[in-house]
Amino acid sequence: MDADQGTAAPADADPAPKRRVHGMLKLYYGLNEEGKALGQAESLDPCDINGPHFDPELYLNKLRKECSLGELVDQEACMVKQIRSLDSDMQTLVYENYNKFISATDTIRKMKNDFKKMEDEMDCLSTNMAAITEFSARISGTLQDQHAQITKLSGVHTLLRKLQFLFELPARLNKCLELQAYGQAVSAHRRARCVLQQYSHMPSFRGIQDDCRAIMDQLAQQLRQKFRDGGSSAKDLSECVELLLQLDEPAEELCDKFLSHAQARLEADLQGLEAELRDSTSSAVVKASSPVIIGSPAESSMSATNPFLAPSSKTDILEFIDRGCNEFVSNLCLVIASYQELFINRLQEGDLATKNIPQMASGKLHTFVNSLAARYFSLVERRIQEEKGVGDNSLLVRALDRFHRRLQAVSKLLPGSAVPSQGTEIVVQAARERIRQYLSALQTFYLDSLTDVRQALAAPRLTVGGAAGAGPLLGSGAGAKDAPPSLPDLLSSLSTSILNQIKSVLASVHLFTAKDITFSNKPYFKGEFCSQGVRESLVVSFIKFVCQSSRQFCESAGDRGGSTPPALLLLLSRLCLDYETSTISYILTLTDEQFLVQHHTPVTAVTVLCAEAREAAQKLLNHYVKVQGLIISQMLRKSVETRDWVNTIEPRNVRAVMKRVVEDTTSIDVQVGLLYEEGVRKAHSSDSSKRTFSVYSSSRQQVRYAPSYTPSAPMDTNLLSNIHRLFSERIDIFSPVEFNKVSVLTGIIKISLKTFLECVRLRTFGRYGLQQIQVDCHYLQMYLWRFVSDENLVHFLLDEIVGSSAHRCLDPSPMEQSVIEVICERG
Amino acid sequence: MEDDAPVIYGLEFQARALTAQTAETDAIRFLVGTQSLKFENQIHIIDFDDENNIINKNVLLHHAGEIWDISASPADKGVLTTCYNKSECPRVLASISLSDNFYIFDFISSESRVLTCASVWRMPPEWESGSHESPDDSSNSPQTLELLCHLDNMAHGNVACVLWEPMGNGKRLISLADNHAVLWDLQESSTKATVRYSSATLEGKGQLKFTSGKWSPHHNCTQLATANDTVIRGWDLRSMSQIYCIENAHGQLVRDLDFNPNKQYYLASCGDDCKVKFWDVRNVNEPVKSLEEHSHWVWSVRYNHSHDQLLLTASSDSRVILSNMVSISSEPFGHLVDDDDLSDAEEGHQEEKSKEPLQDSIIATYEEHEDSVYAVEWSSADPWLFSSLSYDGRLVINRVPRALKYRILL
């Protein structure tokens, strides 16, 4: 307890030195005095036991004043505890510091020994260095003379080498000349030239110079010779020119020479192409004039006469263009490149770039290129024009693409040249021409198809096997059924084959606009080609052609209808109608999709074409009705005109002509039914065949004829028929028909019966003549009503016929209706 | 406007034959021949009172038979020709046969023929006075035609039509009988007809028959045009030889033809192909123009006598169509100005020139008929008036629309 008090007391007694020691310790242990600054500032309070300004007296007094005894005791206990812990901390610190001090003393003793040894070695080194310095000074003093001498000698040696070069120069040049190492010679001469020039006043040098000059002249001569000769490659040539330029030849002359030489070689290329062209045309002519089988003697002899071109006598256009590109265009590019390298680029840099030599050179180059390109283009154009076959368009397109692509190289080399645009123009021309060819090919195809159909229509009665006579157009359908092709088959095969043809043509033409084709992004191919070319000139024109040629069948065939089979008219009419309803819009949509039309020129609208097609269909169908009606009319007319109706015998049969009429009508009905829908009829009476039959009966006729017998009332005949007419609609005989079977048949029957009526009115009948007409009309009545839209029409016309013949009868005593029925039912 | 309404007259019998009374230039008068096998046939003389819009009729009996064709003399108002069927012949035979047995009847009956004959008649002079006094009585006591002469056709066959020499003196006739064209001369009193020249004959395969013909008013009346089947032929009457031939003029039968009264080489034809075609006979390969307006056979075509752009067609679709064919008429640029007019008014001339020429067009379609119209004729007195006749005996008198009339005249 005492000890504790004791340690606490000195701390209290002498605070200043203790604080100093404390500060140093703090420094040693890295504690920052400043870090406590705040705390120190705060604890100015003398009652703070940890503060620097702690005043034990004040503290004690304060405690004594403020605290109770218990608190004081607690305070005291707490303080004793703190003092004890502080005491032990201090002891630990003192112990640690003592250990460190001992190790530091050891280290200092060791260092003292080491330094002594080092001092000795340094002394030794300084002596050695002094010795070396002395030696070195001595050696340099000895060598000074010799060095100067060597320098002088080496100078002399260099001079001698140069002189030797000069003296040897003529020989060397000669040797170079012999070895044709012109480049070396020129560079050697160049090196020596100025020296020789400078010392030309000395005779020996002059001699050398003269020799050299002579040799160089000779060299230049040889170079020029080589230049003139041609035969050497472009690279050789350019080297040659380069050398000549270095020999101060005039640039313009060289340009000309260079170009003329290049021209000679390019001409050769062109001539090769031309020969090929001529050959291919001549061989084509030979082929056309004598259709020989490939490999026949004629062909081989032909190729034998043309030894140069024998292997490629039938080159296709791609090969031709390839050859043109590889030979002519690439050579041209090479020429341009080397020319520019030689004359333009270099001269611009070099000291020769005076005046306007580059301009002159490039001007020459342009005219040169233009003239040659023009010839090349004319050749290509000729070749393209020969490309008449429309089989494989890809070849042509690829050829054109290559052609166009290779010309791009020229445009890169010669930025201002018109050549590439001319080339594009050729491509555009070719495309236009192609479209024209495709249009005519389509047209031919269409007409051929029609011929096939015509033959097929004529054939069925002859060909039993079917497949053989059916022709390529109908191959599958006819073969499968082993029967003559029916109208729907013909129609579908016709329309699909046309459609396929259009599609394939579109596909072929589409190649022109493919992405990988260089010219497809030209404005022409993006716009006008699609809209005006493909859509208008090709597709729309073709559709118009179809309509127009169909219409021509109506006009040119004449009214006798002999030339065009009626079935063909019917077929075409249906075809046009199909075009109107679907095909046209399909084709145009297809076209518009394939060729994204961006051009804004007005195009033919779908509706216009549809209207045209519908008009054509209508016209054809009307014509069909007219022709078929005419055929039946003619039968009826002949039958009425050629008979002597006054003196005919009592009718026992229906006349064969009427049966024929019914048969024909039935077959027409079947024919039309194959292609057209049934159509709308007016409502039938419930049992048409019997009931209508009885309406048109003798009782009614009796009413009509009755007045005829009674002279008192001649007016009544007219009155009755007039009243009848008042209530029936006017009948237009040759009126347009609708697109259905019933309407077509109605038209035909109308025409036939009206003819019958008019013919009857021109004749005079005997009693049996009238009865025969009655029988005939009844027979027609029995069979024809079912074909027409309004059976009353048939009744009305037949009534008219019988009525008119009754009027035209000398002895009008009509036959009993029952007898008529019996005769008709008997057939 | 009421003046433009059609006037309709009904006959009791069916009728095909219609003609204007050519020699009459004051009164509007048409002659109609009926076709009846049972009753006495008649010739109706239709007088049209233009001012009052009234029709006066007179009936003359035609005992000879049903009338297929009728034509009036261009010189004498009272003279006319008819082509008619002789139907007595079989009747007589039939009556004989009744007393015989069946087989004989058959035999004889097969021998009987209906022959078409032609005769020249004179109308009784008093018909005109009678009609005016008591029009109602005329039907009760009809007068009879006076026969002048037969155009004896025994050698030639059935007569299709008889043509008077246009603008002639009424002494020359042509009859077309089967395949013969015969030129007749009437004697002074018109009571006897003689064949003047050897007749022209059609030759070819099959039975060729003339269907119709027209005597050209041009070239001093020396030309004739005939139609048979689909062919139109021109004949020179002096030599009776063919001068032109339009093969396949129509697709089917040619029904009628007419000469343009003002353009000597132009003629119009119509036929069973529903078309009307205009020909320049100097070029027989192609028609000058072709119309297709009717919906059935066209039976008759007539140029207006004064204004040849006006053309009438009649068809068995029971329509009559009046067309205005300006472009191929003799007045393609409107009415030609006479010399007098020119001196009168220069201004009027200028005006006329500035007037837009009329286009070829249909002026009107007349649908008053209920049956086939077989004949149409212009009036010889009034160039703006015409009549048409349908098979049921209806005669319709119509006028050219007033607007067009003034347009043409002014």
Side-chain angles (χ1 to χ4, degrees):
Chain A
M1 208 23 131
D2 260 348
D4 284 342
Q5 282 290 42
T7 50
D12 291 344
D14 194 5
K18 191 172 182 197
R19 206 156 308 279
R20 203 168 51 89
V21 172
H22 187 70
M24 287 181 71
L25 278 175
K26 253 189 199 166
L27 269 176
Y28 179 75
Y29 289 108
L31 288 170
N32 194 0
E33 186 108 28
E34 295 301 314
K36 297 268 176 135
L38 267 176
Q40 280 175 345
E42 272 173 353
S43 50
L44 284 173
D45 183 9
C47 297
D48 185 3
I49 201 164
N50 290 325
H53 303 286
F54 179 65
D55 189 344
E57 278 309 318
L58 267 173
Y59 183 66
L60 266 178
N61 286 342
K62 192 184 170 209
L63 278 179
R64 252 184 250 137
K65 271 182 214 159
E66 287 174 359
C67 300
S68 61
L69 184 63
E71 279 172 344
L72 278 177
V73 173
D74 286 348
Q75 190 83 25
E76 200 247 335
C78 175
M79 205 166 284
V80 167
K81 210 168 154 193
Q82 280 180 357
I83 290 170
R84 221 174 267 160
S85 81
L86 281 174
D87 211 22
S88 75
D89 280 356
M90 200 169 64
Q91 275 182 356
T92 320
L93 279 175
V94 167
Y95 182 73
E96 278 175 2
N97 281 339
Y98 180 72
N99 274 348
K100 281 175 186 166
F101 180 72
I102 288 174
S103 75
T105 316
D106 284 352
T107 310
I108 290 169
R109 198 178 297 140
K110 217 165 144 194
M111 274 169 67
K112 235 179 226 170
N113 284 338
D114 289 353
F115 271 114
K116 195 167 275 173
K117 214 190 280 175
M118 211 152 40
E119 216 167 275
D120 292 348
E121 281 173 13
M122 283 303 288
D123 283 349
C124 180
L125 186 65
S126 69
T127 26
N128 283 348
M129 281 307 290
I132 288 168
T133 316
E134 195 184 341
F135 265 118
S136 154
R138 241 186 313 170
I139 287 169
S140 62
T142 334
L143 285 183
Q144 193 131 28
D145 293 350
Q146 283 178 352
H147 180 72
Q149 218 165 347
I150 285 171
T151 314
K152 201 174 154 194
L153 278 175
S154 92
V156 170
H157 178 73
T158 321
L159 194 63
L160 281 175
R161 287 261 304 266
K162 282 185 183 164
L163 278 176
Q164 187 180 13
F165 174 77
L166 279 182
F167 286 125
E168 279 177 2
L169 189 60
R172 184 191 289 255
L173 288 178
N174 268 332
K175 185 130 192 204
C176 284
L177 208 55
E178 269 172 41
L179 291 174
Q180 299 200 327
Y182 301 119
Q184 220 173 333
V186 170
S187 67
H189 178 245
R190 252 179 24 149
R191 268 195 284 163
R193 193 163 51 184
C194 17
V195 179
L196 288 172
Q197 192 70 36
Q198 199 178 349
Y199 295 103
S200 57
H201 56 277
M202 294 165 78
S204 55
F205 284 113
R206 176 177 291 271
I208 292 169
Q209 191 183 15
D210 290 347
D211 282 357
C212 282
R213 192 172 290 154
I215 291 167
M216 285 322 284
D217 282 351
Q218 196 183 345
L219 189 138
Q221 207 62 42
Q222 277 196 9
L223 279 175
R224 271 195 221 106
Q225 184 63 36
K226 192 174 161 192
F227 198 74
R228 251 195 304 278
D229 282 349
S232 47
S233 71
K235 202 172 161 209
D236 285 353
L237 199 68
S238 56
E239 197 180 279
C240 208
V241 170
E242 200 175 336
L243 294 178
L244 280 171
L245 272 178
Q246 285 175 3
L247 289 176
D248 292 342
E249 291 285 323
E252 187 166 349
E253 196 181 316
L254 276 178
C255 285
D256 284 344
K257 273 189 182 163
F258 182 85
L259 287 181
S260 72
H261 180 252
Q263 180 154 19
R265 278 183 303 123
L266 290 170
E267 290 275 346
D269 288 345
L270 283 176
Q271 260 151 18
L273 286 175
E274 195 167 357
E276 194 170 315
L277 195 62
R278 214 180 304 121
D279 179 68
S280 70
T281 50
S282 66
S283 72
V285 165
V286 165
K287 273 221 133 145
S289 62
S290 62
V292 276
I293 308 144
I294 295 166
S296 69
E299 179 100 337
S300 57
S301 73
M302 159 76 200
S303 58
T305 55
N306 263 335
F308 295 105
L309 308 147
S312 58
S313 69
K314 269 304 266 187
T315 51
D316 57 31
I317 184 157
L318 188 58
E319 280 176 53
F320 179 84
I321 295 285
D322 248 354
R323 188 170 159 184
C325 288
N326 290 340
E327 291 177 0
F328 176 78
V329 179
S330 60
N331 279 343
L332 185 67
C333 287
L334 209 62
V335 167
I336 294 172
S338 54
Y339 182 90
Q340 283 180 330
E341 183 66 24
L342 288 176
F343 295 108
I344 298 174
N345 298 348
R346 172 161 312 171
L347 294 185
Q348 271 168 348
E349 293 156 12
D351 49 341
L352 286 167
T354 50
K355 294 151 255 167
N356 34 17
I357 287 179
Q359 283 89 325
M360 178 276 299
S362 70
K364 275 187 194 299
L365 181 63
H366 274 285
T367 41
F368 167 75
V369 169
N370 284 347
S371 73
L372 278 175
R375 286 192 49 199
Y376 175 61
F377 287 156
S378 78
L379 285 177
V380 170
E381 269 175 338
R382 268 170 59 193
R383 182 66 184 87
I384 289 173
Q385 272 161 17
E386 277 168 32
E387 211 51 27
K388 294 260 193 298
V390 288
D392 188 10
N393 197 39
S394 66
L395 213 59
L396 176 71
V397 173
R398 264 161 57 205
L400 287 175
D401 178 39
R402 200 156 299 181
F403 171 70
H404 190 260
R405 200 187 292 270
R406 293 300 282 261
L407 286 179
Q408 298 310 309
V410 178
S411 80
K412 266 179 212 130
L413 284 171
L414 264 184
S417 170
V419 170
S421 64
Q422 282 169 359
T424 312
E425 194 54 38
I426 287 178
V427 172
V428 167
Q429 274 306 331
R432 286 214 181 96
E433 183 58 34
R434 204 65 180 164
I435 284 176
R436 261 195 295 282
Q437 286 170 357
Y438 271 118
L439 178 62
S440 71
L442 269 180
Q443 291 174 347
T444 330
F445 176 82
Y446 174 70
L447 293 180
D448 288 350
S449 305
L450 282 194
T451 317
D452 284 351
V453 170
R454 212 182 254 252
Q455 277 168 359
L457 286 175
R461 284 160 194 91
L462 304 175
T463 54
V464 188
L473 186 63
L474 334 147
S476 61
K481 284 191 200 160
D482 204 33
S486 64
L487 279 179
D489 288 346
L490 278 176
L491 176 68
S492 65
S493 62
L494 177 65
S495 67
T496 46
S497 69
I498 291 174
L499 201 59
N500 286 339
Q501 195 71 14
I502 290 177
K503 277 185 191 163
S504 74
V505 164
L506 280 183
S508 303
V509 175
H510 195 241
L511 291 175
F512 278 109
T513 62
K515 284 248 160 28
D516 55 339
I517 301 294
T518 46
F519 51 74
S520 67
N521 58 2
K522 294 274 169 202
Y524 170 76
F525 282 97
K526 278 194 159 165
E528 200 191 339
F529 178 76
C530 293
S531 68
Q532 290 305 312
V534 175
R535 196 189 136 108
E536 294 296 302
S537 310
L538 188 64
V539 179
V540 173
S541 296
F542 177 66
I543 293 171
K544 281 187 174 162
F545 171 79
V546 168
C547 295
Q548 209 164 354
S549 70
S550 304
R551 257 179 284 147
Q552 271 168 1
F553 279 110
C554 304
E555 282 146 22
S556 63
D559 294 292
R560 300 217 166 238
S563 53
T564 317
L568 183 63
L569 293 175
L570 191 66
L571 191 85
L572 285 178
S573 147
R574 183 72 221 191
L575 184 74
C576 287
L577 193 65
D578 287 346
Y579 266 66
E580 190 252 330
T581 49
S582 58
T583 317
I584 287 179
S585 62
Y586 172 69
I587 294 174
L588 284 185
T589 317
L590 194 75
T591 314
D592 289 350
E593 273 171 9
Q594 278 193 13
F595 301 86
L596 293 170
V597 176
Q598 300 159 339
H599 212 244
H600 296 297
T601 50
V603 291
T604 315
V606 177
T607 48
V608 175
L609 287 177
C610 283
E612 198 164 329
R614 189 175 183 86
E615 191 197 334
Q618 181 74 58
K619 214 161 179 179
L620 282 164
L621 197 62
N622 286 349
H623 193 63
Y624 173 77
V625 167
K626 211 163 171 177
V627 167
Q628 291 287 29
L630 197 67
I631 291 170
I632 295 179
S633 294
Q634 292 290 8
M635 277 195 301
L636 287 167
R637 183 205 285 255
K638 283 270 144 48
S639 81
V640 174
E641 279 179 355
T642 53
R643 198 168 169 121
D644 181 359
W645 292 98
V646 178
N647 302 311
T648 187
I649 53 160
E650 189 168 8
R652 289 163 213 278
N653 283 311
V654 179
R655 281 187 301 148
V657 134
M658 295 302 156
K659 292 182 183 164
R660 183 77 197 283
V661 167
V662 171
E663 272 169 27
D664 281 10
T665 313
T666 314
S667 68
I668 291 171
D669 182 60
V670 171
Q671 196 177 54
V672 179
L674 289 175
L675 293 184
Y676 279 100
E677 296 77 28
E678 179 72 23
V680 197
R681 286 171 201 276
K682 290 197 180 159
H684 289 297
S685 40
S686 56
D687 183 8
S688 293
S689 61
K690 284 291 168 197
R691 272 259 307 275
T692 55
F693 179 63
S694 60
V695 167
Y696 166 76
S697 64
S698 63
S699 66
R700 188 169 151 197
Q701 278 168 37
Q702 287 296 353
V703 172
R704 293 192 58 182
Y705 306 147
S708 311
Y709 307 120
T710 51
S712 59
M715 287 292 286
D716 287 7
T717 344
N718 293 330
L719 196 66
L720 263 173
S721 67
N722 282 347
I723 288 170
H724 187 96
R725 279 201 193 88
L726 271 180
F727 291 104
S728 60
E729 278 175 44
R730 186 187 288 271
I731 302 167
D732 272 346
I733 304 302
F734 291 105
S735 55
V737 291
E738 288 160 27
F739 294 106
N740 59 55
K741 189 178 86 172
V742 168
S743 178
V744 169
L745 264 288
T746 307
I748 293 170
I749 289 172
K750 266 195 306 193
I751 293 173
S752 313
L753 293 185
K754 180 75 174 175
T755 306
F756 196 13
L757 172 66
E758 292 295 339
C759 290
V760 160
R761 285 181 174 184
L762 288 172
R763 303 288 299 182
T764 310
F765 294 87
R767 174 208 244 163
Y768 298 128
L770 169 64
Q771 293 183 356
Q772 181 69 61
I773 295 288
Q774 274 186 285
V775 170
D776 290 349
C777 285
H778 186 80
Y779 182 80
L780 291 180
Q781 157 72 22
M782 277 168 62
Y783 290 100
L784 291 187
W785 66 266
R786 68 191 83 209
F787 297 123
V788 300
S789 60
D790 182 7
E791 56 192 288
N792 289 327
L793 190 89
V794 175
H795 301 164
F796 173 69
L797 282 168
L798 290 173
D799 267 4
E800 283 278 308
I801 292 169
V802 177
S804 291
S805 55
H807 274 298
R808 304 288 317 140
C809 182
L810 297 168
D811 180 17
S813 48
M815 192 179 247
E816 270 300 311
Q817 185 62 29
S818 56
V819 182
I820 296 177
E821 281 172 25
V822 168
I823 293 176
C824 285
E825 258 145 43
R826 203 171 55 203
Chain B
M1 272 289 100
E2 207 189 310
D3 284 349
D4 277 348
V7 180
I8 298 175
Y9 171 73
L11 282 77
E12 295 89 343
F13 302 110
Q14 290 167 333
R16 277 173 186 272
L18 167 73
T19 185
Q21 197 175 24
T22 325
E24 176 65 78
T25 50
D26 298 330
I28 298 161
R29 189 170 297 156
F30 294 100
L31 306 177
V32 182
T34 64
Q35 274 197 319
S36 171
L37 289 164
K38 293 115 205 170
F39 305 103
E40 203 68 67
N41 282 290
Q42 303 162 342
I43 287 178
H44 288 237
I45 304 165
I46 313 291
D47 263 302
F48 181 61
D49 184 345
D50 197 19
E51 284 167 13
N52 302 316
N53 246 21
I54 291 171
I55 281 178
N56 292 315
K57 66 153 183 177
N58 283 284
V59 178
L60 300 174
L61 289 180
H62 182 273
H63 296 295
E66 54 170 3
I67 302 168
W68 287 88
D69 187 45
I70 187 168
S71 53
S73 160
D76 188 339
K77 288 185 205 176
V79 177
L80 61 102
T81 59
T82 58
C83 299
Y84 53 90
N85 269 7
K86 247 187 189 168
S87 52
E88 287 89 357
C89 178
R91 269 196 187 166
V92 170
L93 283 173
S95 65
I96 294 167
S97 63
L98 284 175
S99 59
D100 274 321
N101 69 40
F102 187 78
Y103 296 103
I104 291 173
F105 165 81
D106 231 19
F107 175 67
I108 293 171
S109 173
S110 71
E111 286 295 301
S112 73
R113 289 202 300 168
V114 177
L115 261 184
T116 314
C117 310
S119 292
V120 186
W121 309 87
R122 177 177 288 284
M123 293 188 258
E126 57 274 18
W127 66 268
E128 209 160 0
S129 58
S131 72
H132 280 297
E133 282 157 16
S134 54
D136 297 335
D137 297 342
S138 61
S139 57
N140 293 336
S141 56
Q143 290 161 309
T144 309
L145 284 172
E146 177 193 334
L147 177 69
L148 290 181
C149 64
H150 281 296
L151 299 177
D152 186 17
N153 66 340
M154 279 316 173
H156 309 302
N158 292 319
V159 180
C161 61
V162 175
L163 311 169
W164 290 92
E165 181 183 30
M167 298 168 288
N169 55 2
K171 297 298 172 201
R172 294 215 298 170
L173 289 169
I174 291 173
S175 70
L176 298 175
D178 275 357
N179 58 346
H180 301 285
V182 189
L183 183 59
W184 305 83
D185 261 347
L186 288 181
Q187 299 300 317
E188 197 56 40
S189 58
S190 300
T191 50
K192 197 177 170 217
T194 52
V195 177
R196 187 167 182 197
Y197 297 115
S198 57
S199 60
T201 308
L202 264 184
E203 275 157 14
K205 270 192 274 182
Q207 277 196 319
L208 298 177
K209 267 187 196 173
F210 287 122
T211 51
S212 154
K214 209 78 189 179
W215 195 326
S216 165
H218 306 291
H219 311 290
N220 217 7
C221 298
T222 55
Q223 287 190 6
L224 170 74
T226 62
N228 64 294
D229 198 21
T230 63
V231 187
I232 296 174
R233 287 167 206 275
W235 305 87
D236 188 336
L237 294 174
R238 294 165 297 191
S239 60
M240 276 300 183
S241 57
Q242 184 175 310
I243 46 178
Y244 55 86
C245 174
I246 307 173
E247 300 275 3
N248 280 324
H250 284 267
Q252 300 169 60
L253 213 62
V254 181
R255 290 280 167 190
D256 195 18
L257 40 90
D258 196 18
F259 280 95
N260 186 318
N262 300 326
K263 293 180 87 176
Q264 56 181 346
Y265 295 110
Y266 278 66
L267 66 91
S269 66
C270 60
D272 287 1
D273 56 358
C274 312
K275 286 178 183 155
V276 177
K277 291 186 180 177
F278 300 88
W279 302 91
D280 182 337
V281 298
R282 292 165 296 186
N283 175 19
V284 296
N285 298 319
E286 281 290 317
V288 180
K289 209 169 174 67
S290 177
L291 296 179
E292 191 168 2
E293 306 294 349
H294 285 289
S295 69
H296 201 241
W297 306 352
V298 187
W299 285 76
S300 180
V301 58
R302 286 289 178 272
Y303 277 109
N304 188 298
H305 305 306
S306 332
H307 306 283
D308 55 277
Q309 62 267 50
L310 299 179
L311 189 91
L312 282 173
T313 51
S315 156
S316 40
D317 64 1
S318 42
R319 289 190 182 97
V320 174
I321 292 181
L322 174 62
S323 324
N324 188 13
M325 304 305 295
V326 183
S327 67
I328 50 172
S329 74
S330 59
E331 303 173 358
F333 308 111
H335 183 60
L336 290 178
V337 183
D338 295 340
D339 290 346
D340 300 342
D341 294 346
L342 201 68
S343 58
D344 278 353
E346 192 70 25
E347 291 170 25
H349 181 71
Q350 291 295 332
E351 230 173 6
E352 201 141 24
K353 280 225 159 175
S354 62
K355 207 160 61 173
E356 201 175 302
L358 291 163
Q359 299 295 310
D360 288 358
S361 60
I362 295 179
I363 297 160
T365 304
Y366 300 95
E367 311 215 348
E368 283 85 19
H369 293 286
E370 303 284 351
D371 204 341
S372 305
V373 187
Y374 294 131
V376 63
E377 284 289 349
W378 290 97
S379 162
S380 55
D382 182 352
W384 308 107
L385 199 125
F386 60 91
S387 70
S388 52
L389 178 68
S390 58
Y391 190 61
D392 53 7
R394 180 180 295 187
L395 181 82
V396 179
I397 296 180
N398 265 305
R399 290 184 186 83
V400 175
R402 206 160 280 205
L404 180 74
K405 176 175 164 180
Y406 292 143
R407 186 115 195 236
I408 292 173
L409 282 179
L410 300 176

